Amino acid sequence: MDATDLFPPESDADEAWHIDPRDNDPRDELKRQSAFLRDAKIICPGVDIFAVPNAAKRTQWAANKAKREGLTAGVLDLVATWKGGGSAFLEFKNGKEMPDANQRDRLNMLTRQGHHCGVFRQEKSALEFLRRCGAPFIDRRGL
């Protein structure tokens, strides 16, 4: 028995994480993510959703400090948790961009660990994803 029996090499292929198709919606990533957060606060108030500030422009001193505090390339935009141990990791993109190599690596790792994760372009698809993952919803808007 050698190390490859215990730790098989990881494939270069992506795992089966969710990704929305590209679209022509003119909204940027921030507007899309903000719309999702607005709607989530209304229809799934039992879900705690918080941002991971990973894309900020920083001075070199601030960047070094953030790395010492645990900042890691590829971390996704949002983490959602709910009662019973449910969780999901969400990345928002505009209509044309795709996840970069670090984000793809993170998405693959999270999927292999058994977490729910995906890349979203529309707030409705992100909300539907959370519902499929078991997040608690109230049905005010029929989503």
Side-chain angles (χ1 to χ4, degrees):
M1 179 179 277
D2 64 7
T4 58
D5 294 327
L6 295 173
F7 305 102
E10 294 175 2
S11 168
D12 288 337
D14 284 329
E15 299 291 332
W17 36 268
H18 174 91
I19 185 165
D20 282 351
R22 291 179 175 166
D23 64 41
N24 292 320
D25 183 337
R27 294 180 299 165
D28 65 16
E29 178 179 328
L30 177 60
K31 287 182 180 165
R32 293 164 187 252
Q33 184 171 315
S34 297
F36 164 74
L37 292 168
R38 177 200 64 221
D39 290 354
K41 189 179 289 189
I42 296 166
I43 63 173
C44 52
V47 178
D48 181 34
I49 304 171
F50 58 91
V52 179
N54 56 351
K57 302 291 184 219
R58 297 177 175 87
T59 64
Q60 188 60 50
W61 179 87
N64 290 339
K65 180 178 183 283
K67 285 181 183 177
R68 288 191 307 272
E69 292 174 342
L71 180 70
T72 303
V75 173
L76 306 183
D77 294 328
L78 299 170
V79 177
T81 63
W82 55 91
K83 186 176 180 178
S87 65
F89 297 83
L90 300 91
E91 173 68 24
F92 272 83
K93 293 290 183 194
N94 66 27
K96 305 296 179 212
E97 289 182 15
M98 296 296 285
D100 66 32
N102 290 320
Q103 290 169 329
R104 292 179 91 87
D105 288 346
R106 177 77 48 181
L107 287 156
N108 288 327
M109 179 191 71
L110 291 168
T111 302
R112 283 192 298 273
Q113 290 177 344
H115 297 289
H116 302 289
C117 57
V119 178
F120 302 93
R121 300 179 197 285
Q122 296 294 323
E123 59 273 18
K124 186 173 181 179
S125 66
L127 290 163
E128 290 168 350
F129 177 80
L130 287 181
R131 186 185 293 273
R132 287 192 310 272
C133 293
F137 276 69
I138 58 175
D139 286 319
R140 287 187 186 168
R141 295 179 59 189
L143 293 174

